[in-house]
């Protein structure tokens, strides 16, 4: 072979070999020899099966086919492990052409072989990289799709396909806006088509939209279209991405509804509401506050709460607010402090303020509830004035009744001076009854309490009066009183029958229980337990067995059961010769205090 041909073959960027009819290497350039893993000289005179045992026989079959047919076999791929057992694969792109002699007869093979191992490795690296990217994208819950600049869907990751129950083949190659996710609504499709056109022009587009998912359900997504540029800055693709914000939208809607309800409740409450911070500044008010004070919302928010107080108490406001925030606690309606508030026009009105501390984030605020109590306040004043007037009037009435009864008692005393002994006795008894009733009105007037009187006080005062009476029957008779237990109270309607019963029994004991000139004692004992008992005891000769309450000939003993019934008490008598007598009144319905 001529030298210039050899030089040309050596300079070729492609591996070239020339084989004779027996498929022996006549010439091979260094590029192909190196690719086969042997030197040029180790190839000459040898066949492919000798050089590449693993694939040589198959290559020779192809060469024989080419020589027999006279037609070239171009661009087929072959590979072998070079060197054998190394695990390193070498790939070739081979073309075999028939070689003709001067007579046009096939006399061998011209092999043109390109080592494409590096290309294969690069493709494998790219393929592995693409698979990793695909795996990463498919592992994301984020929706990712790749479109061409016309909006045709090229790729989509697993998330949007699974959520919609789709296969990639059902949407790949279709205009994105015609895919299942979007074609439920023409307006949604039109908006997407317009957004794709803007992204193809270089703009990043982002908006929230509802898309269709499996079973015709809806999902709200945060959707974005981003242009993808090549190294020259030309837009070659559009990347569509989205995240599911359905839950966030639902939460936002729930929050919006909650805030609406809160605002409606705050605005519709009949009381004034304002939120105050630790410095006493107003953060929020409702419409009722504007109506109460005559300020607009903008005029109050940000101002000090002291602006709503009269000048004479405003200086106390700072200390009060600081004290409350040092020990915050809810102040219920019952604990509200009545005070006067100041309107914008300077007028004042009585109000009550309830305070409720609220932790808002890291800040402690207070919700103040302001109630206009003008009507109740002035009605209370009128009621107190009327009550005071009525108290004065009742006091005057009891005073006058007491005086009138004392006048009656004095008249009876005058009448008894010139009366016969029998009449004198009746007049004295009547006088005692009148004095016991006058004592009741005396106590009511003195205590300024017209609903009840303490039983022990009444008994002690009545005994003091009866001592004077008992002296007429014998100076030797002593009257004493003792209370065991808590105090009991007599209501006005019970006090008169109680006094008459007590008066009748004590006077009767003074008159009949003791022998003339003999000493004696009458003791009244008040016992307070589950029921109130009053015992009137004497150490006299006792009451005859034939004398019974309600059947005796004396008027007093006949009236005792009637008075006990009016008092709603049980009256019993225990007596015997030489044992004295004991009257016991049991009164279950009395008011008691310790």
């Amino acid at each position: 072979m001529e030298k210039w041909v050899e030089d040309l073959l050596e300079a070729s960027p492609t591996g070239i070999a020339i084989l004779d009819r027996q498929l022996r290497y006549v010439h091979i350039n260094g590029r192909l020899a190196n690719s086969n893993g042997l030197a040029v000289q180790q190839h000459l005179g040898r066949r492919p099966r000798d050089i590449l045992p693993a694939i040589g026989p198959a290559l020779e079959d192809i060469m024989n086919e080419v020589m027999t047919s006279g037609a070239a076999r171009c661009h087929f791929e072959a590979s072998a492990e070079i060197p054998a057992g190394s695990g390193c694969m070498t790939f070739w792109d081979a073309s075999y052409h028939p070689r003709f002699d001067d007579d046009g007869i096939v006399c061998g093979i011209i092999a043109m072989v390109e080592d494409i191992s590096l290309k294969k490795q690069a493709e494998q690296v790219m393929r592995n990289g693409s698979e990793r990217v695909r795996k990463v994208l498919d592992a994301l819950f984020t929706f990712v799709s790749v479109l061409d600049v016309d909006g045709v869907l090229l790729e989509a990751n697993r998330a949007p396909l699974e959520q919609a129950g789709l296969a990639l083949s059902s949407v790949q190659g279709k205009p994105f806006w015609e895919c299942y996710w979007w074609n439920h609504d023409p307006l949604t499709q039109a908006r997407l088509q317009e957004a794709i056109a803007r992204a193809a022009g270089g703009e990043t587009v982002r908006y929230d939209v509802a898309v269709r998912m499996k079973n015709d359900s809806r999902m709200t997504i945060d959707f974005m279209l981003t242009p993808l540029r090549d190294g020259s800055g030309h837009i070659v693709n559009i990347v569509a991405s989205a995240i599911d914000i359905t839950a966030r939208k639902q939460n936002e809607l729930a929050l919006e509804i909650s805030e609406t309800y809160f605002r409606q409740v705050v605005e519709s409450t009949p009381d004034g509401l304002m939120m105050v911070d630790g410095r006493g500044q107003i953060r929020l008010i409702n419409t009722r506050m504007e109506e109460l004070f005559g300020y607009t919302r903008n005029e109050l928010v940000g101002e000090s709460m002291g602006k709503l107080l009269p000048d004479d108490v405003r200086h106390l406001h700072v200390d009060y607010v600081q004290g409350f925030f040092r020990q915050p606690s809810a102040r219920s309606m019952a604990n509200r402090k009545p005070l006067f508030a100041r309107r914008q026009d300077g007028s004042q009105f009585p109000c009550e303020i309830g305070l409720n501390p609220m932790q808002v984030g890291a800040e402690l605020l207070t919700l103040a509830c302001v109630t206009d109590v003008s009507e109740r306040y002035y009605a209370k004043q009128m009621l107190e004035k009327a009550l005071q007037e009525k108290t004065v009037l009742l006091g005057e009435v009891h005073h006058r009744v007491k005086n009138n009864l004392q006048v009656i008692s004095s008249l009876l005393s005058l009448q008894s001076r010139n009366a016969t002994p029998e009449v004198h006795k009746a007049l004295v008894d009547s006088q005692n009854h009148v004095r016991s009733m006058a004592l009741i009105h005396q106590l009511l007037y003195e205590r300024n309490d017209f609903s009840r009187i303490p039983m022990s006080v009444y008994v002690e005062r009545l005994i003091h009066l009866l001592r004077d009476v008992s002296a007429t029957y014998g100076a030797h008779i002593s009257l004493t009183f003792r209370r065991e237990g808590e105090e009991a109270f007599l209501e006005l309607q019970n006090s008169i029958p109680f006094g008459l019963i007590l008066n009748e029994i004590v006077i009767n004991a003074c008159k009949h229980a003791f022998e003339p000139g003999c000493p004696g004692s009458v003791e009244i004992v008040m016992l307070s337990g589950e029921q109130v008992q009053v015992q009137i005891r004497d150490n006299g000769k006792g009451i005859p067995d034939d004398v019974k309450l309600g059947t005796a000939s004396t008027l007093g003993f006949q009236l005792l059961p009637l008075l006990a019934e009016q008092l709603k008490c049980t009256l019993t008598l225990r007596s015997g010769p030489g044992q004295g007598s004991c009257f016991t009144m049991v009164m279950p319905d009395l008011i008691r205090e310790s």
Side-chain angles (χ1 to χ4, degrees), residues 4-60:
W4 66 271
V5 174
E6 291 182 4
D7 292 341
L8 179 62
L9 294 177
E10 286 297 327
S12 173
T14 304
I16 298 177
I18 299 176
L19 296 87
D20 61 14
R21 183 182 295 276
Q22 285 73 38
L23 302 182
R24 292 173 299 197
Y25 287 99
V26 176
H27 179 80
I28 185 170
N29 64 359
R31 183 177 295 277
L32 181 55
N34 292 335
S35 180
N36 289 341
L38 295 174
V40 172
Q41 294 300 322
Q42 291 176 301
H43 283 76
L44 299 179
R46 301 174 70 184
R47 299 173 62 180
R49 68 179 61 230
D50 301 324
I51 304 300
L52 302 169
I55 63 170
L59 296 177
E60 290 180 7

Side-chain angles (χ1 to χ4, degrees), residues 271-276 284 286 289 305 336 352-358 365-371:
D271 294 329
L273 295 178
M274 63 178 170
M275 192 77 74
V276 183
L284 175 147
N286 67 346
M289 283 291 292
M305 183 182 173
R336 287 179 169 183
E352 289 179 347
I353 299 180
L355 302 177
N356 187 36
M358 301 176 64
L365 302 176
T366 296
L367 181 65
C369 181
V370 182
T371 304

Side-chain angles (χ1 to χ4, degrees), residues 239-307:
V239 177
S241 60
I243 57 173
D244 179 8
I245 59 170
T246 304
R248 189 187 80 190
K249 284 293 184 181
Q250 290 174 346
N251 291 337
E252 289 176 354
L253 179 60
L255 179 61
E256 182 179 349
I257 293 173
S258 177
E259 289 178 348
T260 301
Y261 286 163
F262 170 76
R263 175 58 62 182
Q264 289 177 346
V265 169
V266 169
E267 294 299 334
S268 61
T269 183
D271 294 329
L273 295 178
M274 63 178 170
M275 192 77 74
V276 183
D277 62 19
R279 296 174 299 172
Q281 288 187 336
I282 300 172
R283 295 286 190 85
L284 175 147
I285 67 168
N286 67 346
T287 302
R288 180 58 178 157
M289 283 291 292
E290 294 178 304
E291 296 173 351
L292 282 176
F293 290 91
Y295 291 99
T296 64
R297 202 171 300 248
N298 293 334
E299 289 175 325
L300 281 183
V301 174
E303 293 291 333
S304 171
M305 183 182 173
K307 185 175 183 177

Side-chain angles (χ1 to χ4, degrees), residues 293 295 310 341-349:
F293 290 91
Y295 291 99
R342 181 181 180 276
R343 298 187 181 93
Q344 185 184 31
D345 60 9
S347 61
Q348 298 182 14
F349 66 96

Side-chain angles (χ1 to χ4, degrees), residues 31 39 60 76 122 196 240 250 254 268 272 363 392 401 419 437 444 480 492 498 552 568 575 588:
R31 183 177 295 277
E60 290 180 7
F76 64 90
I196 290 174
Q250 290 174 346
S268 61
E363 186 177 16
V392 173
V401 170
M437 290 187 289
L444 291 173
T480 58
L492 180 60
F498 176 78
K568 296 180 181 179
S575 180

Side-chain angles (χ1 to χ4, degrees), residues 444-463:
L444 291 173
Y445 176 74
E446 291 176 355
R447 289 177 49 80
N448 203 24
D449 183 354
F450 306 117
S451 61
R452 61 182 186 172
I453 57 175
M455 180 182 288
S456 60
V457 174
Y458 178 67
V459 174
E460 289 177 347
R461 296 284 292 273
L462 185 61
I463 286 179

Side-chain angles (χ1 to χ4, degrees), residues 196-213:
I196 290 174
R198 290 165 57 192
E203 182 182 349
T204 297
V205 183
R206 184 175 183 177
Y207 60 95
D208 295 346
V209 63
V211 293
R212 179 166 59 174
M213 290 298 173

